[in-house]
Amino acid sequence: MPHYWPARVASAAPRRRPAAPTGPPPETAPTARRGRPAYDSAVPDAPARQPASGVSLRPVTPENEAAVVALRVRPGQERLVAANAQSLADARAVPACEPFAVYAGETPVGFLLLRHDYPGPRDYYLLRLMVAAEHQGRGYGTAALERLVEHVRTLPGASALRTSYDVGEGNAGPFYARLGFVATGGTNGDEVELLLPL
Ligand SMILES: CC(C)(COP(=O)(O)OP(=O)(O)OC[C@H]1O[C@@H](n2cnc3c(N)ncnc32)[C@H](O)[C@@H]1OP(=O)(O)O)[C@@H](O)C(=O)NCCC(=O)NCCS
């Protein structure tokens, strides 16, 4: 079992040296993008800011697993997060992993994976987070993280939620920063590590 779990690749991926530099903290993460950004909230069919009410986290079960596995990020975002099938396989290999389907009403729109013992016991780490391409920019990612924080606050010894992100184009650094995550100064593989005090 590797001792780090980047968001973007399978756990079996070969270890790479951290990029030098690993990138600025999210408060100052570069926003300039070349070409068409992988993330663009101004998709024509998405309301500018629709209240994301009715968003829930539900267990991944035999009934909804195929739908979760079928969820895909936008072209160009695949390098930012592992495929859900891979994340579910990773979760099965580690009992302290808790995968969730993100639902908007009764529709599965995303996926996240929480680990309860990383890097140590009672350290809560958001290993994977994705909202499917057609559902991005509607507040579902934000609402899913709010639900996750509510959940983590109920867990033993929870004082923080950690995560990490790849610094590539279209990265989720600004998304996490606006939710209150701050850079720890550390890395997870070659990803920037963040922490949200609870
Ligand atoms: C990151 C992700 C989960 C956000 O989900 P989402 O449902 O689209 O996010 P929201 O609609 O809640 O966005 C909230 C705000 O963050 C912004 N935002 C979201 N993702 C962003 C990104 N990658 N870069 C910059 N801003 C982003 C949105 O524009 C929105 O701002 P607004 O309120 O001014 O419109 C989704 O874009 C995704 O799955 N990305 C690909 C996978 C990925 O990078 N996962 C994180 C791995 S660590």
Side-chain angles (χ1 to χ4, degrees), residues 1-6 11 15 115 118-119 188-189:
M1 183 60 60
H3 62 273
Y4 76 99
W5 277 56
S11 59
R15 183 168 193 182
R115 186 167 171 175
Y118 187 76
N188 182 17

Side-chain angles (χ1 to χ4, degrees), residues 39 41 49 129-131 136-139 141-142 164 170-171 178:
Y39 184 85
S41 64
R49 182 46 57 220
L129 170 67
M130 63 82 70
V131 169
Q136 290 184 19
R138 302 182 180 200
T142 300
S164 65
N171 72 66
R178 62 185 298 146

Side-chain angles (χ1 to χ4, degrees), residues 68-97:
V68 170
V69 167
L71 298 173
R72 299 277 188 274
V73 293
R74 292 180 181 169
Q77 293 180 329
E78 298 93 340
R79 63 196 159 70
L80 299 173
V81 66
N84 292 344
Q86 179 64 59
S87 292
L88 287 169
D90 292 343
R92 287 192 182 97
V94 178
C97 280

Side-chain angles (χ1 to χ4, degrees), residues 3 96 115-125 156 162:
H3 62 273
R115 186 167 171 175
H116 290 224
D117 65 350
Y118 187 76
R122 299 187 172 188
D123 286 333
Y124 299 98
Y125 213 103
R162 291 168 192 265

